[in-house]
Amino acid sequence: MTYTRTFRNLVKYGVPAVCWAAGLIAVLLILALLSVIFLKGYHSLEPGFVLEESREAGASGGIRYQIIGTLILVLTTAAAAIPVSLAIGITRVSVLKHSSLLRHVVDGGLQMLNSMPSILFGVLGFMLFTQHFGWGKSWLAGGIILGLMIVPIVSLAFVNHLLSLPPNRLEAAYGLGLSPQQVLVSVWLPHGWPGLVSGLFLGLARAMGETAPILFVAAVFSGAGMPLGITDSPVLALPYHIFVMAQDSFDSRAQANAWGTALVLVMLVLAFNGVAYTLRMKLHYGEHH
Amino acid sequence: MENIIDILPAPRKCMTELRKEKLNGSTPMLEVNELSVSFEENIIFEGLSFHLKPASMLGILGPSGRGKSTLLRCLNRLIDLSPNAKVTGSIRFRGKNILESKVDLDRLRSEIGIVFQQPVVFPTTIAKNVLFGAKRLQRLSRHEQARLLESALRDAALWDQVKDRLHESANRLSVGQQQRLCLARTLATQPDIILLDEPTSALDKKTAREIEQLLLRLKCRYGIILVTHDEEQARRLCDEILRI
Amino acid sequence: MKNFAAAPLQSCKKNWVRLISAVAVIVLATLALLALIYVIGESAPVFKHAGINFFLGHEWYYRDSLFGALPMIYGSLAVSLVALTVAVPIAIPASIWTAELLPVRWRSLAKGVIELLAGIPSVIYGLIAVIYLREWVYDLFSPWFLTSGDSLLTAGLILAVMILPTITTLADDALCSVPEQQRMAARGLGLNSMETILYVSLPQAAPGIFSAVVLGFGRAVGETIAVFLVVGRMDGQLPNSTGLLHSLLGTGQTLTSKLGGAELFLAYGDKLHWSAMMGLALVLLMLIGFSLITVTVTRFASAFVHHRFVATNGRLSA
């Protein structure tokens, strides 16, 4: 009897102790990481850092064109991802409504695309755009590659949102005899956009932090400003900047610059995630009230 | 470690002894006084008082939505698992008010067993299902486990049907068998009182009758509280009926 | 007046929005398939050249047309397994913490904070690993003839942090999908809340938790940048007589760090060399495919068992 009681007490108090410890480790880890990034980076955070060009191989000056380059990539990514995700979403919800096999194929394909290592996107982009098309390094290629990479995130958010709507809302519009153009403008977009946009921000938050896909395709470390064409028009980018500086980490000035860049990047990523989260919460709230 | 067989006399003897005890005006096993339950602003029921005598069956009768299931969950404090429930009044069991905060709830729940409306079997073998609670509440040798398994299944009138497939999945049993399996699982923890929440409502008539027969046999050994919405059933089985 | 029910079907015929969408999806699927065929086709020469030695050879000198990928395969598996060994013992209890122990309103907050960890770009994990983790590993293990902080172990440790949120949130989802009535039944028998977790929730969520771990493995195998920065990128490193642990403390090369290196630019001009790089990509794809297949099989197997469970549960007879 005492054995049983001892063992049961061990379970009763031991299991939660272990679980609390593990959960707190996970939470403390993220707090520690964020505070390291903040404490190391906030010295650099002044108007000059954001507005000036970088000098002396990144050891001094700011990250103006890195920020601009990342924003160019983000906009291109969005432009590439939106039509593709719309197409996939509309197909998945309307055309494949009656074929569960094809639906599984599309879902499985998106799932696979989502788990592809990002370096493979980079390698294939290098082969196709940089070499085969002869673009060299190009912002456009980078945007397209990143856009394709985030298509699963965006289209899954879009589809899940459409499927969570009452089904008659979409069908009723067809019954009204609207023309197809009107259907796109008056049904898919007004009902689907919150899901699409929240997924888009989630995807862009991921895309702007990615280094591997733009390694060979779009990013250089220095010597690029505003791109003026498509061929041989590379951009600077925040993650690539950090990537190069991290390999050159023995110069303390370069290190400080890298931390500053990291802080800017993390703030941008968190802001985009925040928009996606707020939108999703608002949606969730809207559905039930 | 006592075994269920050792502490329980044979049915006939049990019947006479306990009946006699009952006629002599034995004290109730469970006394409920002014029990009220509310969820936030919603009052489920108010001011219920009743008691349960040993070796008898109390029927709780009423239409659905009157909080019959909630009442059962109060009696072994499973209600504590639902957030926002507020319980007032007193429930005396073994001389203590079990609504007090320092009660050992896990022990209480093994002493007041419950069988739900829908059978909830664990996705494992029949034998493991029966011993699921029992072998963790106490240390049982392999031999004791086998004896307890057999006696619990016999008491639930399931032994003959499953004795050759004790190590097959419990999911393959029919609903009626699953319900009896749940009963056996509760019996194996050797409770004093068994709470039954419309145990026959998910079953067809013939199976329901079989379970009723089983309950009549069990009532000489346990205090049973049966929640039902079937007036006839309550009359057939119960010694006393409480309407809510 | 049109029949209301037939309207969707009718408009389907002339709806060019749907048509263009469907065509676009077919084009995309074809492109994805072409990419796969390209990788397989381009890697064919190196398999013709090196045969099975592409998988078993441990020497990679492109000037001598020697292409043995074993050290890279070993490196990828080693860093991923180190990551799992460290992350799983934290991730699974942490998922129990969020799914079972925390009150409901704290749960989404805690989960959100842990998911933040997944949102941080991998290059920033790389930076942190370069500045801090590398030094710590060096200080801790320098008695064992460590030459620098760059090692398979360092890469594995930073990967552990990166896959921790992936495993935790997926395992949390698996635990939350265990029906509440199962827990209720166990509590009704007198098991305490922890026994209920141990004997009811965990066994039933086990397939989902297993899938979470496998997906974490897939993420670790595919991660490039953070590993690239701290793995040392030394070719031809395999465990030898000095033992497995010693090799983990040494530098190494993974499939992704090789593919992410400058050698890719160099390789493009040379058909055989490029083919060898594509071979590495193919091996990487196979590892990811393996993890995806494992997850799918697990899902179907447990769905099959569950289906049988539901089917018999709904039948109303003795």
Side-chain angles (χ1 to χ4, degrees), chain A residues 254-276:
Chain A
Q255 230 185 66
N257 195 307
W259 283 114
T261 317
L263 181 57
V264 171
L265 181 59
V266 165
M267 289 198 310
L268 278 172
V269 168
L270 289 186
F272 272 58
N273 271 323
V275 171

Side-chain angles (χ1 to χ4, degrees), chain A residues 94-115:
Chain A
S94 66
V95 180
L96 301 182
K97 197 162 46 184
H98 305 293
S99 164
S100 72
L101 178 70
L102 277 178
R103 220 163 49 211
H104 280 302
V105 169
V106 170
D107 287 358
L110 288 177
Q111 202 67 251
M112 265 159 65
L113 202 61
N114 203 15
S115 21

Side-chain angles (χ1 to χ4, degrees), chain C:
Chain C
M1 195 70 191
K2 276 182 189 169
N3 182 348
F4 210 80
L9 275 179
Q10 268 180 351
S11 58
C12 194
K13 277 183 207 154
K14 49 184 178 184
N15 186 340
W16 58 263
V17 172
R18 286 180 177 184
L19 191 70
I20 289 179
S21 301
V23 170
V25 170
I26 292 170
V27 169
L28 278 171
T30 318
L31 281 179
L33 216 60
L34 280 178
L36 184 67
I37 293 171
Y38 173 82
V39 171
I40 295 173
E42 286 289 283
S43 58
V46 80
F47 290 120
K48 220 172 279 170
H49 172 77
I52 194 74
N53 273 336
F54 183 73
F55 296 104
L56 300 181
H58 56 272
E59 283 174 289
W60 182 289
Y61 299 115
Y62 60 88
R63 284 180 224 282
D64 299 340
S65 295
L66 273 175
F67 298 109
L70 190 61
M72 272 76 88
I73 299 172
Y74 164 72
S76 277
L77 291 178
V79 295
S80 308
L81 291 179
V82 168
L84 284 185
T85 314
V86 177
V88 168
I90 299 174
I92 292 180
S95 71
I96 297 175
W97 182 65
T98 56
E100 309 263 352
L101 299 184
L102 278 182
V104 180
R105 59 203 185 92
W106 288 101
R107 178 178 165 242
S108 56
L109 181 69
K111 223 181 148 181
V113 169
I114 292 174
E115 275 170 0
L116 272 185
L117 211 55
I120 295 181
S122 53
V123 68
I124 290 177
Y125 283 105
L127 181 65
I128 288 168
V130 163
I131 306 280
Y132 292 107
L133 195 60
R134 199 160 69 170
E135 305 301 314
W136 293 343
V137 170
Y138 182 72
D139 290 345
L140 203 61
F141 293 101
S142 49
W144 287 275
F145 320 107
L146 214 58
T147 45
S148 80
D150 286 333
S151 68
L152 292 171
L153 180 74
T154 318
L157 288 177
I158 197 67
L159 277 180
V161 180
M162 297 174 74
I163 64 173
L164 181 67
T166 313
I167 303 179
T168 306
T169 50
L170 289 172
D172 171 276
D173 291 342
L175 282 169
C176 285
S177 67
V178 174
E180 198 54 42
Q181 47 175 353
Q182 291 275 331
R183 295 193 185 90
M184 200 64 121
R187 297 306 300 277
L189 287 173
L191 297 191
N192 62 42
S193 53
M194 297 307 134
E195 289 171 319
T196 306
I197 291 171
L198 225 50
Y199 305 129
V200 178
S201 308
L202 272 182
Q204 292 192 41
I209 294 175
F210 175 70
S211 297
V213 173
V214 173
L215 286 173
F217 172 80
R219 168 124 206 252
V221 168
E223 174 51 45
T224 309
I225 295 299
V227 172
F228 185 95
L229 287 173
V230 292
V231 81
R233 303 201 306 284
M234 176 79 90
D235 276 341
Q237 299 292 90
L238 277 175
N240 51 25
S241 54
T242 50
L244 190 68
L245 192 68
H246 196 264
S247 113
L248 289 181
L249 288 174
T251 54
Q253 180 83 279
T254 67
L255 293 164
T256 51
S257 68
K258 188 79 174 173
L259 281 170
E263 198 181 319
L264 197 81
F265 290 116
L266 212 68
Y268 193 77
D270 178 349
K271 195 162 170 27
L272 188 62
H273 193 184
W274 179 253
S275 161
M277 297 307 269
M278 287 298 106
L280 295 180
L282 189 64
V283 175
L284 184 57
L285 266 174
M286 279 170 9
L287 285 175
I288 300 292
F290 171 74
S291 75
L292 283 178
I293 289 170
T294 311
V295 167
T296 314
V297 167
T298 311
R299 187 176 301 156
F300 274 109
S302 66
F304 176 70
V305 172
H306 185 72
H307 178 73
R308 205 172 52 187
F309 170 60
V310 170
T312 49
N313 227 12
R315 205 172 72 221
L316 297 179
S317 69

Side-chain angles (χ1 to χ4, degrees), chain B residues 73 78 81 106 109-110 116 120-123 132-133 136-137 171-172 174-176 178 185-186 189 202 204 207, chain C residues 181-193 195 199-200 204 305 308-309 312-318:
Chain B
R73 282 173 164 76
L78 265 186
L81 303 183
D106 299 318
R109 288 175 190 143
S110 69
F116 300 104
V120 183
V121 302
F122 300 116
F132 202 89
R136 295 188 170 109
L137 300 177
N171 297 331
R172 293 195 200 148
S174 70
V175 183
Q178 287 187 2
R185 193 170 65 192
T186 302
T189 61
D204 63 43
T207 323
Chain C
Q181 47 175 353
Q182 291 275 331
R183 295 193 185 90
M184 200 64 121
R187 297 306 300 277
L189 287 173
L191 297 191
N192 62 42
S193 53
E195 289 171 319
Y199 305 129
V200 178
Q204 292 192 41
V305 172
R308 205 172 52 187
F309 170 60
T312 49
N313 227 12
R315 205 172 72 221
L316 297 179
S317 69

